[in-house]
mmCIF file of all heavy atoms in Angstrom:
data_model
loop_
_atom_site.group_PDB
_atom_site.id
_atom_site.type_symbol
_atom_site.label_atom_id
_atom_site.label_comp_id
_atom_site.label_asym_id
_atom_site.label_seq_id
_atom_site.Cartn_x
_atom_site.Cartn_y
_atom_site.Cartn_z
ATOM 1 N N GLY A 307 7.697 3.144 8.053
ATOM 2 C CA GLY A 307 6.262 3.012 8.442
ATOM 3 C C GLY A 307 5.985 1.813 9.213
ATOM 4 O O GLY A 307 5.249 1.877 10.262
ATOM 5 N N ALA A 308 6.654 0.660 8.827
ATOM 6 C CA ALA A 308 6.381 -0.549 9.591
ATOM 7 C C ALA A 308 6.998 -0.506 10.956
ATOM 8 O O ALA A 308 6.329 -0.945 11.941
ATOM 9 C CB ALA A 308 7.066 -1.733 8.907
ATOM 10 N N MET A 309 8.164 0.075 11.130
ATOM 11 C CA MET A 309 8.769 0.231 12.445
ATOM 12 C C MET A 309 7.936 1.315 13.342
ATOM 13 O O MET A 309 7.754 1.026 14.484
ATOM 14 C CB MET A 309 10.157 0.856 12.300
ATOM 15 C CG MET A 309 11.144 -0.207 11.841
ATOM 16 S SD MET A 309 11.258 -1.516 12.982
ATOM 17 C CE MET A 309 11.040 -2.866 11.859
ATOM 18 N N LEU A 310 7.304 2.291 12.683
ATOM 19 C CA LEU A 310 6.455 3.154 13.479
ATOM 20 C C LEU A 310 5.205 2.441 13.952
ATOM 21 O O LEU A 310 4.814 2.682 15.100
ATOM 22 C CB LEU A 310 6.070 4.350 12.581
ATOM 23 C CG LEU A 310 7.172 5.461 12.354
ATOM 24 C CD1 LEU A 310 6.660 6.535 11.365
ATOM 25 C CD2 LEU A 310 7.492 6.026 13.725
ATOM 26 N N PHE A 311 4.676 1.573 13.162
ATOM 27 C CA PHE A 311 3.633 0.733 13.650
ATOM 28 C C PHE A 311 4.040 -0.066 14.788
ATOM 29 O O PHE A 311 3.221 -0.269 15.744
ATOM 30 C CB PHE A 311 3.218 -0.198 12.419
ATOM 31 C CG PHE A 311 2.138 -1.292 12.908
ATOM 32 C CD1 PHE A 311 0.843 -1.050 13.038
ATOM 33 C CD2 PHE A 311 2.740 -2.542 13.141
ATOM 34 C CE1 PHE A 311 0.012 -2.015 13.406
ATOM 35 C CE2 PHE A 311 1.822 -3.548 13.621
ATOM 36 C CZ PHE A 311 0.345 -3.288 13.825
ATOM 37 N N GLY A 312 5.121 -0.733 14.727
ATOM 38 C CA GLY A 312 5.638 -1.594 15.870
ATOM 39 C C GLY A 312 5.830 -0.700 17.080
ATOM 40 O O GLY A 312 5.484 -1.186 18.170
ATOM 41 N N LEU A 313 6.341 0.421 16.915
ATOM 42 C CA LEU A 313 6.574 1.415 18.064
ATOM 43 C C LEU A 313 5.218 1.789 18.667
ATOM 44 O O LEU A 313 5.014 1.799 19.852
ATOM 45 C CB LEU A 313 7.353 2.600 17.541
ATOM 46 C CG LEU A 313 7.748 3.558 18.736
ATOM 47 C CD1 LEU A 313 8.672 2.921 19.772
ATOM 48 C CD2 LEU A 313 8.523 4.745 18.104
ATOM 49 N N MET A 314 4.223 2.031 17.761
ATOM 50 C CA MET A 314 2.889 2.441 18.211
ATOM 51 C C MET A 314 2.299 1.202 19.090
ATOM 52 O O MET A 314 1.710 1.471 20.115
ATOM 53 C CB MET A 314 2.041 2.718 17.110
ATOM 54 C CG MET A 314 0.662 3.043 17.546
ATOM 55 S SD MET A 314 -0.511 2.999 16.085
ATOM 56 C CE MET A 314 -0.750 1.243 15.946
ATOM 57 N N ALA A 315 2.434 0.051 18.541
ATOM 58 C CA ALA A 315 1.913 -1.106 19.210
ATOM 59 C C ALA A 315 2.476 -1.292 20.646
ATOM 60 O O ALA A 315 1.787 -1.655 21.556
ATOM 61 C CB ALA A 315 2.114 -2.415 18.427
ATOM 62 N N TYR A 316 3.770 -0.937 20.730
ATOM 63 C CA TYR A 316 4.502 -1.093 21.949
ATOM 64 C C TYR A 316 4.171 -0.003 22.974
ATOM 65 O O TYR A 316 3.797 -0.293 24.087
ATOM 66 C CB TYR A 316 6.004 -1.215 21.756
ATOM 67 C CG TYR A 316 6.751 -1.322 23.072
ATOM 68 C CD1 TYR A 316 6.736 -2.513 23.739
ATOM 69 C CD2 TYR A 316 7.493 -0.277 23.566
ATOM 70 C CE1 TYR A 316 7.365 -2.685 24.936
ATOM 71 C CE2 TYR A 316 8.145 -0.373 24.859
ATOM 72 C CZ TYR A 316 8.082 -1.584 25.468
ATOM 73 O OH TYR A 316 8.721 -1.720 26.648
ATOM 74 N N LEU A 317 4.146 1.246 22.583
ATOM 75 C CA LEU A 317 3.875 2.302 23.355
ATOM 76 C C LEU A 317 2.404 2.390 23.781
ATOM 77 O O LEU A 317 2.119 2.716 24.897
ATOM 78 C CB LEU A 317 4.209 3.621 22.654
ATOM 79 C CG LEU A 317 5.788 3.864 22.417
ATOM 80 C CD1 LEU A 317 6.022 5.134 21.697
ATOM 81 C CD2 LEU A 317 6.581 3.861 23.710
ATOM 82 N N LEU A 318 1.477 2.141 22.975
ATOM 83 C CA LEU A 318 0.081 2.186 23.207
ATOM 84 C C LEU A 318 -0.410 0.985 24.044
ATOM 85 O O LEU A 318 -1.371 1.034 24.879
ATOM 86 C CB LEU A 318 -0.775 2.546 21.993
ATOM 87 C CG LEU A 318 -0.540 3.836 21.348
ATOM 88 C CD1 LEU A 318 -1.353 3.898 20.089
ATOM 89 C CD2 LEU A 318 -0.768 4.972 22.307
ATOM 90 N N GLU A 319 0.049 -0.188 23.662
ATOM 91 C CA GLU A 319 -0.605 -1.400 24.072
ATOM 92 C C GLU A 319 0.387 -2.292 24.948
ATOM 93 O O GLU A 319 0.016 -3.325 25.486
ATOM 94 C CB GLU A 319 -1.151 -2.268 22.999
ATOM 95 C CG GLU A 319 -2.363 -1.544 22.214
ATOM 96 C CD GLU A 319 -3.592 -1.410 23.132
ATOM 97 O OE1 GLU A 319 -3.832 -2.307 24.022
ATOM 98 O OE2 GLU A 319 -4.307 -0.429 23.000
ATOM 99 N N GLY A 320 1.662 -1.893 24.893
ATOM 100 C CA GLY A 320 2.712 -2.779 25.507
ATOM 101 C C GLY A 320 3.046 -4.021 24.825
ATOM 102 O O GLY A 320 3.522 -5.008 25.395
ATOM 103 N N ILE A 321 2.643 -4.208 23.556
ATOM 104 C CA ILE A 321 2.812 -5.421 22.786
ATOM 105 C C ILE A 321 4.223 -5.390 22.104
ATOM 106 O O ILE A 321 4.440 -4.412 21.413
ATOM 107 C CB ILE A 321 1.784 -5.583 21.677
ATOM 108 C CG1 ILE A 321 0.304 -5.583 22.359
ATOM 109 C CG2 ILE A 321 1.964 -6.778 20.896
ATOM 110 C CD1 ILE A 321 -0.813 -5.540 21.435
ATOM 111 N N ARG A 322 4.994 -6.310 22.424
ATOM 112 C CA ARG A 322 6.272 -6.417 21.849
ATOM 113 C C ARG A 322 6.190 -6.932 20.390
ATOM 114 O O ARG A 322 5.379 -7.677 20.049
ATOM 115 C CB ARG A 322 7.195 -7.375 22.597
ATOM 116 C CG ARG A 322 7.429 -6.833 23.996
ATOM 117 C CD ARG A 322 8.670 -7.582 24.633
ATOM 118 N NE ARG A 322 8.834 -7.192 25.941
ATOM 119 C CZ ARG A 322 9.503 -6.064 26.320
ATOM 120 N NH1 ARG A 322 10.070 -5.377 25.475
ATOM 121 N NH2 ARG A 322 9.633 -5.864 27.658
ATOM 122 N N PHE A 323 7.020 -6.343 19.574
ATOM 123 C CA PHE A 323 6.952 -6.706 18.152
ATOM 124 C C PHE A 323 8.213 -7.343 17.660
ATOM 125 O O PHE A 323 9.272 -7.067 18.234
ATOM 126 C CB PHE A 323 6.541 -5.491 17.318
ATOM 127 C CG PHE A 323 7.617 -4.334 17.332
ATOM 128 C CD1 PHE A 323 8.659 -4.284 16.462
ATOM 129 C CD2 PHE A 323 7.511 -3.456 18.405
ATOM 130 C CE1 PHE A 323 9.574 -3.248 16.569
ATOM 131 C CE2 PHE A 323 8.350 -2.333 18.432
ATOM 132 C CZ PHE A 323 9.388 -2.179 17.559
ATOM 133 N N ASN A 324 8.204 -8.156 16.603
ATOM 134 C CA ASN A 324 9.312 -8.727 16.019
ATOM 135 C C ASN A 324 9.860 -7.736 14.929
ATOM 136 O O ASN A 324 9.262 -7.676 13.905
ATOM 137 C CB ASN A 324 8.973 -10.105 15.488
ATOM 138 C CG ASN A 324 10.030 -10.832 14.783
ATOM 139 O OD1 ASN A 324 10.956 -10.301 14.394
ATOM 140 N ND2 ASN A 324 9.790 -12.142 14.650
ATOM 141 N N ALA A 325 10.946 -7.119 15.270
ATOM 142 C CA ALA A 325 11.529 -6.074 14.330
ATOM 143 C C ALA A 325 11.852 -6.718 12.936
ATOM 144 O O ALA A 325 11.509 -6.105 11.883
ATOM 145 C CB ALA A 325 12.723 -5.402 14.884
ATOM 146 N N PHE A 326 12.480 -7.916 12.945
ATOM 147 C CA PHE A 326 12.876 -8.507 11.706
ATOM 148 C C PHE A 326 11.557 -8.898 10.869
ATOM 149 O O PHE A 326 11.575 -8.647 9.654
ATOM 150 C CB PHE A 326 13.684 -9.817 11.876
ATOM 151 C CG PHE A 326 14.121 -10.524 10.654
ATOM 152 C CD1 PHE A 326 15.153 -9.949 9.882
ATOM 153 C CD2 PHE A 326 13.521 -11.693 10.336
ATOM 154 C CE1 PHE A 326 15.521 -10.572 8.678
ATOM 155 C CE2 PHE A 326 13.851 -12.341 9.149
ATOM 156 C CZ PHE A 326 14.899 -11.774 8.353
ATOM 157 N N ALA A 327 10.618 -9.404 11.492
ATOM 158 C CA ALA A 327 9.314 -9.711 10.812
ATOM 159 C C ALA A 327 8.605 -8.451 10.202
ATOM 160 O O ALA A 327 8.073 -8.428 9.150
ATOM 161 C CB ALA A 327 8.383 -10.386 11.660
ATOM 162 N N LEU A 328 8.811 -7.315 11.004
ATOM 163 C CA LEU A 328 8.242 -6.060 10.535
ATOM 164 C C LEU A 328 9.046 -5.584 9.269
ATOM 165 O O LEU A 328 8.353 -5.030 8.451
ATOM 166 C CB LEU A 328 8.216 -5.027 11.682
ATOM 167 C CG LEU A 328 6.986 -4.957 12.438
ATOM 168 C CD1 LEU A 328 7.169 -3.933 13.613
ATOM 169 C CD2 LEU A 328 5.805 -4.608 11.782
ATOM 170 N N ILE A 329 10.329 -5.719 9.195
ATOM 171 C CA ILE A 329 11.129 -5.308 8.161
ATOM 172 C C ILE A 329 10.627 -6.162 6.878
ATOM 173 O O ILE A 329 10.422 -5.549 5.717
ATOM 174 C CB ILE A 329 12.646 -5.500 8.349
ATOM 175 C CG1 ILE A 329 13.049 -4.418 9.363
ATOM 176 C CG2 ILE A 329 13.388 -5.431 7.085
ATOM 177 C CD1 ILE A 329 14.452 -4.719 9.934
ATOM 178 N N ILE A 330 10.492 -7.525 7.015
ATOM 179 C CA ILE A 330 10.046 -8.257 5.989
ATOM 180 C C ILE A 330 8.631 -7.825 5.502
ATOM 181 O O ILE A 330 8.426 -7.731 4.231
ATOM 182 C CB ILE A 330 10.073 -9.777 6.317
ATOM 183 C CG1 ILE A 330 11.474 -10.206 6.533
ATOM 184 C CG2 ILE A 330 9.336 -10.620 5.256
ATOM 185 C CD1 ILE A 330 11.582 -11.562 7.123
ATOM 186 N N CYS A 331 7.777 -7.620 6.454
ATOM 187 C CA CYS A 331 6.401 -7.178 6.047
ATOM 188 C C CYS A 331 6.460 -5.851 5.293
ATOM 189 O O CYS A 331 5.667 -5.610 4.468
ATOM 190 C CB CYS A 331 5.586 -7.136 7.350
ATOM 191 S SG CYS A 331 3.842 -7.154 7.115
ATOM 192 N N GLY A 332 7.357 -4.934 5.814
ATOM 193 C CA GLY A 332 7.409 -3.600 5.153
ATOM 194 C C GLY A 332 7.800 -3.735 3.791
ATOM 195 O O GLY A 332 7.307 -3.023 2.896
ATOM 196 N N VAL A 333 8.902 -4.616 3.492
ATOM 197 C CA VAL A 333 9.389 -4.782 2.101
ATOM 198 C C VAL A 333 8.249 -5.374 1.226
ATOM 199 O O VAL A 333 7.999 -4.885 0.146
ATOM 200 C CB VAL A 333 10.634 -5.619 2.116
ATOM 201 C CG1 VAL A 333 11.021 -5.931 0.703
ATOM 202 C CG2 VAL A 333 11.820 -4.879 2.752
ATOM 203 N N ILE A 334 7.704 -6.389 1.697
ATOM 204 C CA ILE A 334 6.580 -7.135 0.952
ATOM 205 C C ILE A 334 5.414 -6.136 0.787
ATOM 206 O O ILE A 334 4.893 -6.061 -0.387
ATOM 207 C CB ILE A 334 6.156 -8.464 1.630
ATOM 208 C CG1 ILE A 334 7.232 -9.474 1.584
ATOM 209 C CG2 ILE A 334 4.907 -8.951 1.082
ATOM 210 C CD1 ILE A 334 6.995 -10.619 2.436
ATOM 211 N N GLY A 335 5.056 -5.405 1.809
ATOM 212 C CA GLY A 335 4.032 -4.399 1.650
ATOM 213 C C GLY A 335 4.234 -3.324 0.722
ATOM 214 O O GLY A 335 3.351 -2.913 -0.047
ATOM 215 N N SER A 336 5.423 -2.950 0.630
ATOM 216 C CA SER A 336 5.799 -1.744 -0.368
ATOM 217 C C SER A 336 5.711 -2.297 -1.671
ATOM 218 O O SER A 336 5.230 -1.574 -2.614
ATOM 219 C CB SER A 336 7.249 -1.268 0.052
ATOM 220 O OG SER A 336 7.585 -0.243 -0.959
ATOM 221 N N PHE A 337 6.214 -3.550 -1.900
ATOM 222 C CA PHE A 337 6.120 -4.068 -3.298
ATOM 223 C C PHE A 337 4.680 -4.172 -3.778
ATOM 224 O O PHE A 337 4.210 -3.925 -4.778
ATOM 225 C CB PHE A 337 6.828 -5.446 -3.434
ATOM 226 C CG PHE A 337 8.194 -5.301 -3.632
ATOM 227 C CD1 PHE A 337 9.180 -5.728 -2.697
ATOM 228 C CD2 PHE A 337 8.737 -4.939 -5.010
ATOM 229 C CE1 PHE A 337 10.595 -5.628 -2.985
ATOM 230 C CE2 PHE A 337 10.066 -4.794 -5.109
ATOM 231 C CZ PHE A 337 10.993 -5.275 -4.172
ATOM 232 N N ALA A 338 3.829 -4.720 -2.835
ATOM 233 C CA ALA A 338 2.394 -4.920 -3.106
ATOM 234 C C ALA A 338 1.754 -3.497 -3.284
ATOM 235 O O ALA A 338 0.966 -3.429 -4.174
ATOM 236 C CB ALA A 338 1.771 -5.644 -1.968
ATOM 237 N N SER A 339 2.126 -2.567 -2.513
ATOM 238 C CA SER A 339 1.595 -1.179 -2.616
ATOM 239 C C SER A 339 1.963 -0.652 -3.932
ATOM 240 O O SER A 339 1.015 -0.028 -4.628
ATOM 241 C CB SER A 339 2.180 -0.399 -1.434
ATOM 242 O OG SER A 339 1.749 0.922 -1.524
ATOM 243 N N GLN A 340 3.173 -0.771 -4.422
ATOM 244 C CA GLN A 340 3.555 -0.183 -5.614
ATOM 245 C C GLN A 340 2.929 -0.881 -6.745
ATOM 246 O O GLN A 340 2.546 -0.216 -7.756
ATOM 247 C CB GLN A 340 5.086 -0.166 -5.722
ATOM 248 C CG GLN A 340 5.770 0.848 -4.819
ATOM 249 C CD GLN A 340 7.287 0.936 -4.911
ATOM 250 O OE1 GLN A 340 7.856 0.910 -5.990
ATOM 251 N NE2 GLN A 340 7.968 0.840 -3.803
ATOM 252 N N LEU A 341 2.737 -2.129 -6.705
ATOM 253 C CA LEU A 341 2.070 -2.989 -7.656
ATOM 254 C C LEU A 341 0.575 -2.573 -7.840
ATOM 255 O O LEU A 341 0.000 -2.428 -8.909
ATOM 256 C CB LEU A 341 2.146 -4.519 -7.309
ATOM 257 C CG LEU A 341 1.635 -5.479 -8.357
ATOM 258 C CD1 LEU A 341 2.407 -5.223 -9.707
ATOM 259 C CD2 LEU A 341 1.748 -6.797 -7.920
ATOM 260 N N GLY A 342 0.019 -2.317 -6.658
ATOM 261 C CA GLY A 342 -1.425 -1.810 -6.604
ATOM 262 C C GLY A 342 -1.594 -0.483 -7.316
ATOM 263 O O GLY A 342 -2.418 -0.193 -8.193
ATOM 264 N N ASP A 343 -0.585 0.373 -6.963
ATOM 265 C CA ASP A 343 -0.539 1.730 -7.613
ATOM 266 C C ASP A 343 -0.513 1.600 -9.126
ATOM 267 O O ASP A 343 -1.102 2.309 -9.946
ATOM 268 C CB ASP A 343 0.580 2.538 -7.049
ATOM 269 C CG ASP A 343 0.456 4.012 -7.497
ATOM 270 O OD1 ASP A 343 -0.622 4.552 -7.465
ATOM 271 O OD2 ASP A 343 1.561 4.619 -7.712
ATOM 272 N N LEU A 344 0.453 0.697 -9.623
ATOM 273 C CA LEU A 344 0.620 0.502 -11.045
ATOM 274 C C LEU A 344 -0.549 -0.130 -11.711
ATOM 275 O O LEU A 344 -1.037 0.206 -12.830
ATOM 276 C CB LEU A 344 1.889 -0.347 -11.272
ATOM 277 C CG LEU A 344 3.231 0.223 -11.006
ATOM 278 C CD1 LEU A 344 4.306 -0.747 -11.162
ATOM 279 C CD2 LEU A 344 3.428 1.365 -11.980
ATOM 280 N N ALA A 345 -1.222 -1.070 -10.967
ATOM 281 C CA ALA A 345 -2.431 -1.769 -11.496
ATOM 282 C C ALA A 345 -3.516 -0.714 -11.729
ATOM 283 O O ALA A 345 -4.230 -0.699 -12.727
ATOM 284 C CB ALA A 345 -2.932 -2.843 -10.589
ATOM 285 N N PHE A 346 -3.739 0.158 -10.719
ATOM 286 C CA PHE A 346 -4.778 1.202 -10.842
ATOM 287 C C PHE A 346 -4.427 2.243 -11.959
ATOM 288 O O PHE A 346 -5.273 2.726 -12.675
ATOM 289 C CB PHE A 346 -5.105 1.899 -9.523
ATOM 290 C CG PHE A 346 -5.973 1.098 -8.677
ATOM 291 C CD1 PHE A 346 -5.563 0.084 -7.835
ATOM 292 C CD2 PHE A 346 -7.344 1.418 -8.709
ATOM 293 C CE1 PHE A 346 -6.409 -0.637 -7.074
ATOM 294 C CE2 PHE A 346 -8.195 0.638 -8.008
ATOM 295 C CZ PHE A 346 -7.822 -0.390 -7.078
#
Side-chain angles (χ1 to χ4, degrees):
M309 287 297 131
L310 286 174
F311 168 82
L313 185 61
M314 178 199 73
Y316 181 72
L317 292 176
L318 295 177
E319 297 292 329
I321 299 171
R322 298 197 182 274
F323 61 93
N324 180 338
F326 181 71
L328 270 175
I329 289 170
I330 292 171
C331 197
V333 170
I334 291 171
S336 181
F337 275 110
S339 177
Q340 292 182 43
L341 186 61
D343 191 42
L344 288 170
F346 278 86

